[in-house]
Structures are given as C-alpha cells and as structure tokens.
Amino acid sequence: MPAVPEVLFVCVHNAGRSQMAAALLQHHAHGAVAVRSAGSEPAETINPAVREVMAEIGIDLTHEVPTRLTTDAVEASDVVITMGCGDACPVFPGKRYLDWALTDPAGRPVDEVRPIRDDIDRRVRALLAELVPQVDARTR
C-alpha cells in the first residue's frame, strides 16, 4: 500500500451511500487517505436526508456534487468499494475491490438513513484501521 492510499467509493447516483462513505473516511483519516466518490449515473444533487444525517455529526455535504465514474478514477485508486448497488467498475490488476451490501437511502426518511450512516461509519473505521493503522478513528 502506498504512503497515502487512495480509496474510491462507487454508487450508481453518487448521491447517498458513496458520498457518506467518502465524507466519513475523509473525516476520520485526517489526510492519511486520499478519498473520492463517483457514480455511473450521477444525480444532480446529494440526497437531502443524507445531507441532514451527516450534518447531525458535524459533516457538511452542502458543497458536494455527485461525480461521474471514470476509468481514470478507478485506475488511480488502491481500493475500490461499491455500495451494494450493482454498479460495475473497470477491473485493473493490483487493485482491491470490495462490495459493501448497504441499504439505499433514496426516498427514505431521516430516521431510516441514520442507521445506514452508522453502518457505513463502522465499515469506514474498520477500513481505515487496515489501511493506516496509526490513525485513531475512534472519535468523530
């Protein structure tokens, strides 16, 4: 793994799960990991319930914009994580590919999005502990 590992979170619309995962990893990693997120069919904006549950824990997604998945983004990443949404990524040798089976927050109320956020947070912290063991991700 390079000095600063690069992680790409992928979800079809890049408006919910992948945005939460990227923001949480960025928050916990304190610059020790380069983080991106993208989608094969990006939405125009971030899911409002996702923005709200992230704001509850002090992470502001108001300036984030869904981004189109590119081959270059996959190629530049060390770890590529799909969010259980059936998105397909180009496969390059030497990359680590994971699929996190997560509930889609689209159309769900805030009370149902919080547990999704918390599940992603647990997974992100475990990933960070693997990638950069010296970073303490126990606190928000």
Side-chain angles (χ1 to χ4, degrees):
M1 201 56 62
V4 177
E6 295 192 33
V7 176
L8 172 65
F9 293 100
V10 179
C11 189
V12 174
H13 300 297
N14 190 224
R17 294 166 285 189
S18 56
Q19 289 283 346
M20 285 191 283
L24 286 161
L25 183 54
Q26 242 171 348
H27 175 76
H28 295 310
H30 306 286
V33 177
V35 184
R36 295 186 200 135
S37 70
S40 56
E41 298 174 25
E44 290 188 25
T45 61
I46 305 297
N47 176 325
V50 166
R51 277 198 315 264
E52 186 173 336
V53 301
M54 294 302 284
E56 290 173 355
I57 61 170
I59 298 175
D60 182 8
L61 295 182
T62 58
H63 300 293
E64 297 300 323
V65 177
T67 304
R68 181 162 302 283
L69 177 65
T70 66
T71 301
D72 290 344
V74 176
E75 192 169 25
S77 300
D78 300 299
V79 181
V80 179
I81 302 172
T82 54
M83 314 261 69
C85 47
D87 233 0
C89 296
V91 176
F92 292 97
K95 308 291 175 197
R96 180 177 174 195
Y97 293 87
L98 301 170
D99 183 51
W100 290 353
L102 297 162
T103 303
D104 188 351
R108 296 183 185 276
V110 169
D111 287 345
E112 292 179 22
V113 177
R114 279 187 199 105
I116 299 167
R117 175 203 62 204
D118 295 344
D119 184 11
I120 292 170
D121 190 45
R122 283 187 293 277
R123 294 169 190 247
V124 160
R125 289 171 190 254
L127 176 68
L128 180 59
E130 289 177 34
L131 296 176
V132 190
Q134 68 272 23
V135 173
D136 184 354
R138 289 174 291 179
T139 59
R140 285 189 206 206

